[in-house]
Amino acid sequence: MLTNTATWWTFLLIFMRITAFMVTAPLFSGRQIPAQYKIGISVVLSILCAGVIKEPIGSLPLGTISLLIFKELFVGVVLGLTANIMFYAVQLAGTLIDLQVGFSMANLFDPTFGTNTQLTGSLKNILAILVMLSTNGHHLLIQGVLASFDWIHLQAVVPAWNDGRVSSFLLECFQQMFMIGFMMAAPIIGTLFIVDFSLGIIARTVPQMNIFAVMPPVKMLIYFLIYILILPSFFYLLNVLLETMFGSMSSILKIMGG
């Protein structure tokens, strides 16, 4: 009976961590994946992990079990949030570009993040998801949450809760996210700024021209031309983004497991 109870407690703690990760991780947390599939994936992964855990949970007080459940939820949320923060750079770049072009008035619902996003942001999100799936990035995400049990054991405490290392690392992830997002949007934003400056000079020198009727189609035309030219660089930056995302997941495991 003790073995059965220990197995159930072990399964519950593993399920809590994996489920919290699925709720916050990129791609898996999107609303395009039904909740039944997320729960099913979490159950299957928990069953596989429960059979290989070397230190199953024994008979512990209810208060200790409650703290362990909270810890597993914290570990899963932080691990998934670390990956999702980096993935937000794609949406940030699209938002900045559409704000400069004038597409910000046309918002679309993005099921990946569950929010309204602009046209370019939605296109970049779709491309990023396709690249992640084509490079087996979703396998690496699952591998990351499974590897967390080697770094952070079920009965281990997380000393990084109190010393501020987790929050400091998340702030660094935000910094990297903004940097990569600005790098993705900088070519188009810089080009359109020059276009706005040139059209402003034309409006001052040729007041007879209705610049407000000419500016939107000119900016859209230049936007599409520049976007086609810099599309290969977007995939390069996306590769940098994915490498940074998986590196951040490895770093946060070392921080919480240390």
Side-chain angles (χ1 to χ4, degrees):
M1 184 65 182
L2 179 59
T3 304
N4 294 334
T5 303
T7 302
W8 278 110
W9 281 122
T10 302
F11 171 80
L12 176 62
L13 294 177
I14 295 173
F15 178 75
M16 288 297 175
R17 183 185 299 189
I18 295 178
T19 303
F21 177 79
M22 290 293 175
V23 172
T24 56
L27 184 62
F28 296 105
S29 61
R31 295 187 179 182
Q32 72 273 18
I33 300 179
Q36 294 84 350
Y37 289 92
K38 299 177 185 177
I39 297 175
I41 294 174
S42 301
V43 170
V44 171
L45 294 177
S46 301
I47 293 174
L48 294 176
C49 289
V52 297
I53 291 296
K54 299 179 181 179
E55 299 177 358
I57 300 298
S59 56
L60 295 175
L62 184 59
T64 305
I65 293 293
S66 301
L67 291 177
L68 291 178
I69 291 176
F70 177 78
K71 185 209 68 174
E72 294 302 319
L73 290 174
F74 174 80
V75 172
V77 168
V78 169
L79 189 60
L81 186 61
T82 302
N84 214 355
I85 286 174
M86 302 306 302
F87 212 73
Y88 269 113
V90 180
Q91 186 179 8
L92 174 65
T95 302
L96 293 175
I97 292 173
D98 286 340
L99 185 64
Q100 185 71 19
V101 178
F103 289 163
S104 57
M105 294 181 293
N107 292 332
L108 296 176
F109 179 76
D110 184 8
T112 304
F113 299 100
T115 58
N116 290 331
T117 185
Q118 284 73 33
L119 296 174
T120 307
S122 180
L123 176 60
K124 287 182 176 293
N125 286 333
I126 294 173
L127 293 176
I129 291 174
L130 291 177
V131 170
M132 177 179 288
L133 292 175
S134 62
T135 57
N136 292 328
H138 56 297
H139 293 172
L140 295 177
L141 290 175
I142 296 176
Q143 183 180 355
V145 68
L146 296 182
S148 66
F149 294 99
D150 296 330
W151 288 92
I152 309 169
H153 300 288
L154 295 179
Q155 300 187 42
V157 297
V158 181
W161 281 8
N162 300 323
D163 56 11
R165 286 182 292 168
V166 174
S167 57
S168 300
F169 184 78
L170 290 178
L171 289 177
E172 293 179 2
C173 291
F174 271 109
Q175 179 183 358
Q176 294 177 348
M177 181 265 291
F178 278 104
M179 181 181 66
I180 296 176
F182 283 126
M183 289 174 63
M184 289 182 176
I188 295 180
I189 291 179
T191 304
L192 293 180
F193 175 78
I194 297 175
V195 172
D196 288 336
F197 184 76
S198 303
L199 292 176
I201 295 177
I202 294 175
R204 296 293 294 178
T205 56
V206 189
Q208 296 82 6
M209 179 181 295
N210 188 0
I211 197 65
F212 293 103
V214 176
M215 182 181 296
V218 170
K219 291 181 65 175
M220 290 181 187
L221 178 61
I222 295 176
Y223 159 73
F224 286 116
L225 292 176
I226 298 299
Y227 195 88
I228 293 173
L229 292 176
I230 68 169
L231 191 58
S233 64
F234 168 74
F235 290 106
Y236 170 76
L237 291 175
L238 190 59
N239 184 29
V240 175
L241 175 65
L242 294 178
E243 291 179 356
T244 306
M245 181 177 68
F246 295 126
S248 300
M249 291 179 63
S250 177
S251 299
I252 196 66
L253 286 179
K254 294 177 182 179
I255 291 174
M256 292 191 296

